[in-house]
Amino acid sequence: MEKTQIIGVDLGGTNLRAGIVNEGICESVVAQPLYAQGSRVQILKQIFGVIDKVISPEVKAIGIGVPGLVDPGSRIPYDIVNIPSLNETDLRTVLEQRYQVAVKIENDANCFALGEFHFVAGRSCTSLVGLTIGTGLGVGIIADGKLFTGKHGGAGEFGMIPYGGKNIEYYVSGRFFSNVYQIAGEEAYRRALEGDPEAIKMYADFGRHLGEAIKLIMYVLDTECIIIGGAVKAAFPLYAKSMWATLGDFEFSRSLAALKIETSSLINGNILGAAALYLSTADGRPYSMNNQ
């Protein structure tokens, strides 16, 4: 891996984090709450604030993951629902002019998938789907060793597909527990760990819905590996059995037999993924099928 210091920025809907990625290790991480409803000037000031705390002359580039779509041509983010003032902001140009280093910008779920591929799974596979299961469901696709984002940057939004009278994200996200059982996810998790039968049943139900979502992903993409990240990954032992049981009737036995489903092992994975936007191009090849 190139011995280069990169700043990775994770711009979430409620929190903002940045850190230095040096030889695959995330260092000097800083974090602060994000005032998501602030003006464009206020949001930019917050982004500058975390970068300023970690920037140094050794930093060669900045990668930033945003909770919205990014146009593959202009690299301008749009449809950022949780941070409305940042829509259509040429964030890459703003940051390049301020810090005089290269800046890469991408959807945060795509960053997650690219980070998993670049730092971990790329050693053993060429295709991967990253699922970030938290407040919502984010999906990033690696195909033939490159990130696939689609013509307009919206590929992989499986959570928006109609399902069960709602959409997949309604049932496959941390909000599943409040949506279906009117209980906070944290409370359901605590009760399940204590052996509460009702909470354990909730997680089995969650696993069934996740299994149905994975079947859809497999029919479309036939990927080698699915990596689960986000708040729900810690509860994987509670829903893995029902997830795999639901996958039992998947029609293509060879694909199912080869499929690996794992939880993310990366610490500060979103920051590493943002840095991977630059590191994956260090050999001169584009990290994505859709942009250089």
Side-chain angles (χ1 to χ4, degrees):
M1 187 178 296
E2 183 183 355
K3 295 182 179 179
T4 300
Q5 291 190 14
I6 310 297
I7 290 178
V9 181
D10 176 24
L11 179 60
T14 56
N15 292 288
L16 176 60
R17 302 169 68 248
I20 296 288
V21 176
N22 185 12
E23 297 188 64
I25 304 298
C26 192
E27 306 169 342
S28 305
V29 176
V30 296
Q32 68 176 51
L34 179 72
Y35 176 45
Q37 300 305 309
S39 68
R40 181 174 300 185
V41 170
Q42 290 172 320
I43 297 295
L44 290 175
K45 184 176 180 181
Q46 291 177 84
I47 295 171
F48 297 157
V50 293
I51 294 175
D52 288 349
K53 290 178 181 177
V54 294
I55 193 78
S56 73
E58 289 74 35
V59 169
K60 189 169 184 178
I62 297 169
I64 180 167
V66 299
L69 303 186
V70 177
D71 183 87
S74 68
R75 310 311 302 158
I76 293 176
Y78 68 101
D79 284 351
I80 304 181
V81 176
N82 294 327
I83 315 174
S85 67
L86 205 60
N87 278 302
E88 308 293 343
T89 298
D90 190 353
L91 188 57
R92 179 178 67 169
T93 298
V94 169
L95 294 177
E96 285 182 340
Q97 290 178 346
R98 180 179 175 90
Y99 296 105
Q100 297 298 299
V101 297
V103 174
K104 303 285 187 178
I105 181 170
E106 187 53 82
N107 166 267
D108 51 5
N110 290 337
C111 287
F112 171 75
L114 187 65
E116 288 292 333
F117 180 76
H118 182 79
F119 291 105
V120 184
R123 302 165 193 159
S124 60
C125 70
T126 59
S127 65
L128 174 152
V129 172
L131 304 181
T132 54
I133 307 175
T135 303
L137 173 64
V139 182
I141 302 167
I142 301 291
D144 294 328
K146 292 185 177 66
L147 184 65
F148 178 70
T149 64
K151 177 67 175 178
H152 302 102
E157 295 294 335
F158 287 93
M160 299 298 101
I161 295 174
Y163 169 78
K166 301 291 185 178
N167 62 18
I168 289 176
E169 187 177 75
Y170 184 91
Y171 296 95
V172 183
S173 70
R175 290 183 292 184
F176 162 78
F177 301 95
S178 58
N179 288 340
V180 177
Y181 290 102
Q182 293 75 54
I183 184 175
E186 296 85 352
E187 178 66 11
Y189 183 53
R190 182 187 66 79
R191 292 185 186 181
L193 291 181
E194 293 174 351
D196 180 87
E198 195 62 33
I200 291 171
K201 182 181 177 182
M202 293 178 196
Y203 273 99
D205 194 19
F206 175 83
R208 179 176 62 81
H209 292 298
L210 176 58
E212 294 292 349
I214 290 173
K215 280 195 286 188
L216 176 61
I217 290 170
M218 288 298 294
Y219 282 128
V220 174
L221 298 173
D222 189 22
T223 191
E224 298 171 75
C225 187
I226 292 176
I227 306 294
I228 297 173
V232 180
K233 77 171 186 177
F236 187 70
L238 295 170
Y239 58 80
K241 182 178 179 180
S242 63
M243 175 195 72
W244 279 111
T246 302
L247 287 167
D249 64 356
F250 185 75
E251 292 290 343
F252 304 131
S253 58
R254 186 175 299 181
S255 296
L256 185 60
L259 177 63
K260 295 183 290 186
I261 302 177
E262 304 170 353
T263 57
S264 174
S265 61
L266 292 179
I267 299 173
N268 296 310
N270 286 352
I271 292 175
L272 287 165
L277 296 172
Y278 178 83
L279 294 170
S280 296
T281 65
D283 59 4
R285 296 179 298 175
Y287 68 80
S288 169
M289 296 179 180
N290 305 91
N291 72 85
Q292 302 296 316

